């Protein structure tokens, strides 16, 4: 994404998401604080909220697998991508949770929904412009 | 097991159980009608009840994974072992659920417990004698 100065953190490991989803029970529920996109707010602003929540959720998920398992290794790599994205986001100490435009709800998502949300975050990052994060349009 | 006339259905695939368990979320709940062992009843009798229930449960579990996933392939092989054991059990059309010695309860087991129960069935089969299934000792 153009907002990143230190190279692209999004590696080819995102191609392993389908393999991971197919290797998880399709009715398993993964907990995450889900934040809907809203109009009139930039993707960058949305990323400031969603990336830390997704990173936390992936970390909890990771610990449910054996360290040498294929699912563990893929989740670990996806977590690394998110950390890379997080490092690219400007560190302006603003409390983005105060932004009233967003509603954040604790959700339990099945693997397919959960990683579709993950992909939405990756896409938003790749399309995001380096603007002041939460400027309204 | 000595109760089987057509060769040993228990293949090396049981060595993949640890890999499978490590590759499942450790808090995932798998439904099965769990049947406790009771004293004074032969293992063969217990197998007549547990093998069909475990086979049914594994079949439901199997359908939760993508067909080309590693978890699917391992579960499919474990299911095949159980089918082989089932074919070795005498087909005497008795309704073993009528045996009042056993209590059967719907349970939701985590992967580690669930496959420990699976292993208990395999071990019982390997040790079982070819006796009249439900003779009390
Ligand atoms: Ca899994």
């Amino acid at each position: 994404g153009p907002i990143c100065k230190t190279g692209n953190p999004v590696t080819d490991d995102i191609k392993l998401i389908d393999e991971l989803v197919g290797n998880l029970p399709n009715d398993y529920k993964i907990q995450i604080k889900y934040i809907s996109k809203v109009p009139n707010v930039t993707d960058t602003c949305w990323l400031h909220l969603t990336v830390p929540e997704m990173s936390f959720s992936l970390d909890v998920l990771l610990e449910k697998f054996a360290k040498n398992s294929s699912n563990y290794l893929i989740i670990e790599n996806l977590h690394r991508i998110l950390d890379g994205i997080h490092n690219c986001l400007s560190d302006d100490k603003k409390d983005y949770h105060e932004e009233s435009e967003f509603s954040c709800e604790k959700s339990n998502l099945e693997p397919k929904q959960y990683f579709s949300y993950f992909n939405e975050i990756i896409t938003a990052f790749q399309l995001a412009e380096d603007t002041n994060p939460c400027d309204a349009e």
Side-chain angles (χ1 to χ4, degrees), chain A:
Chain A
I3 58 175
C4 194
K5 309 287 186 253
T6 56
N8 186 5
V10 182
T11 63
D12 268 2
D13 291 315
I14 57 167
K15 292 182 183 161
L16 299 172
I17 289 178
D18 283 351
E19 179 186 327
L20 173 64
V21 169
N23 211 21
L24 292 168
N26 62 13
D27 59 349
Y28 183 58
K29 298 292 196 294
I30 311 172
Q31 203 174 73
I32 186 164
K33 286 189 188 157
Y34 181 89
I35 300 158
S36 305
K37 274 194 181 182
V38 287
N40 301 328
V41 184
T42 64
D43 278 3
T44 312
C45 183
W46 181 72
L47 286 169
H48 270 270
L49 286 167
T50 53
V51 168
E53 294 295 353
M54 178 54 88
S55 178
F56 176 76
S57 168
L58 275 179
D59 207 39
V60 172
L61 181 62
L62 184 67
E63 294 309 315
K64 298 181 189 293
F65 299 89
K67 286 216 184 333
N68 60 345
S69 68
S70 62
N71 286 345
Y72 185 96
L73 297 174
I74 296 175
I75 295 167
E76 195 177 38
N77 287 334
L78 298 179
H79 191 261
R80 195 169 293 135
I81 290 174
L82 270 196
D83 279 348
I85 292 180
H86 195 239
N87 288 337
C88 294
L89 297 176
S90 64
D91 185 19
D92 59 4
K93 311 288 186 204
K94 186 169 173 178
D95 184 359
Y96 292 97
H97 283 96
E98 303 261 311
E99 299 293 318
S100 59
E101 291 93 341
F102 292 102
S103 69
C104 169
E105 59 180 321
K106 268 194 186 169
S107 305
N108 289 295
L109 304 183
E110 292 180 350
K112 206 171 166 178
Q113 305 168 294
Y114 180 86
F115 286 102
S116 155
Y117 182 58
F118 178 91
N119 277 326
E120 208 185 335
I121 292 172
I122 300 296
T123 304
F125 171 72
Q126 286 170 323
L127 299 174
E129 305 289 337
D130 188 4
T131 54
N132 195 355
C134 292
D135 272 357
E137 276 168 24

